[in-house]
Amino acid sequence: MNIGVIEPFKDGFLEVIPEGEGSDYWQIAAIHISGEVFCPSPRIYPSQQVAIARARRIFNWICNHEMETRSWGCYCEELNMSLWRQPKSYPSNPLPTAF
């Protein structure tokens, strides 16, 4: 059984997971940088090594384009993909209390 891989990288880490049970194909689940999580648009890569290499490139792009990645989502034309960002402090919406 293939399980996901978490690889430390610079000030964060990369998460890649297999496409499915017994699959040789991989996808990037998330890129973690300084407590924030970035999720790229889903893509399938032919191996774990290729997915990790692509995740490193995305990580570096995010670090070099901080202004573009400040919103919830952005499009990276250079890498031809969208990125969604989960900030460190997500605003909570408490449920209303019953009276």
Side-chain angles (χ1 to χ4, degrees), residues 27-46:
Q27 55 188 334
I28 300 168
I31 297 165
H32 300 259
I33 302 173
S34 302
E36 294 185 322
V37 179
F38 295 85
C39 297
S41 37
R43 296 244 171 92
I44 302 299
Y45 300 97

Side-chain angles (χ1 to χ4, degrees), residues 54-73:
R54 181 68 167 193
R56 287 179 182 153
R57 189 167 174 211
I58 297 167
F59 187 107
N60 290 328
W61 185 90
I62 293 167
C63 290
N64 293 329
H65 295 85
E66 189 175 333
M67 293 305 293
E68 290 97 326
T69 61
R70 287 197 183 268
S71 65
W72 290 99

Side-chain angles (χ1 to χ4, degrees), residues 3-98:
I3 58 173
V5 173
I6 296 175
E7 180 172 306
F9 187 69
K10 296 184 181 180
D11 295 334
F13 59 96
L14 315 169
E15 277 186 87
V16 297
I17 57 174
E19 178 199 21
E21 184 70 31
S23 177
D24 291 332
Y25 293 95
W26 289 74
Q27 55 188 334
I28 300 168
I31 297 165
H32 300 259
I33 302 173
S34 302
E36 294 185 322
V37 179
F38 295 85
C39 297
S41 37
R43 296 244 171 92
I44 302 299
Y45 300 97
S47 69
Q48 176 187 330
Q49 293 79 15
V50 172
I52 292 283
R54 181 68 167 193
R56 287 179 182 153
R57 189 167 174 211
I58 297 167
F59 187 107
N60 290 328
W61 185 90
I62 293 167
C63 290
N64 293 329
H65 295 85
E66 189 175 333
M67 293 305 293
E68 290 97 326
T69 61
R70 287 197 183 268
S71 65
W72 290 99
C74 69
Y75 181 75
C76 169
E77 191 169 334
E78 180 182 330
L79 300 174
N80 192 28
M81 68 173 42
S82 296
L83 291 168
W84 291 270
R85 177 179 155 264
Q86 174 65 55
K88 287 182 192 180
S89 58
Y90 186 76
S92 63
N93 293 326
L95 296 173
T97 57

